[in-house]
Amino acid sequence: MGKHILCLGNEFFKMDSLAKQVGGKLSWEHEVADVKDTFQLMVYLQRFSNPIILDVVKGLLDVRIVSVEELKTQDIISA
């Protein structure tokens, strides 16, 4: 199997469901996990080395790679 992909978001809100939709399309080639909450995210981060995290960010207009170091320096309100 390919990479480990963690999909964040809320499938019940159209604007927050894109990462989960993309993850569904990648699941035939990669191990995709539907992350429901921050605690589950922490378990996956401990279990997998170098997972890819998909999420939707309000105000971001294009695809962007964000490093873990960059996340550590930001004020995070959600997962």
Side-chain angles (χ1 to χ4, degrees), residues 11-12 22 26 32 40-41 48 53 55-56 65 67:
E11 65 271 13
F12 299 112
V22 171
L26 297 173
V32 176
Q40 188 181 33
L41 176 62
F48 301 132
I53 300 173
D55 198 3
V56 174
I65 296 175
S67 70

Side-chain angles (χ1 to χ4, degrees), residues 26-77:
L26 297 173
S27 62
W28 64 273
E29 188 174 341
H30 302 283
E31 185 173 342
V32 176
D34 181 10
V35 179
K36 302 287 186 194
D37 57 46
T38 305
F39 298 109
Q40 188 181 33
L41 176 62
M42 297 307 294
V43 169
Y44 282 126
L45 290 175
Q46 291 175 347
R47 183 174 158 203
F48 301 132
S49 61
N50 299 317
I52 295 171
I53 300 173
L54 298 180
D55 198 3
V56 174
V57 178
K58 184 177 182 179
L60 192 61
L61 301 178
D62 54 3
V63 176
R64 182 166 174 233
I65 296 175
V66 178
S67 70
V68 173
E69 290 76 27
E70 187 176 354
L71 286 175
K72 288 179 181 178
T73 63
Q74 302 295 319
D75 292 327
I76 306 291
I77 295 174

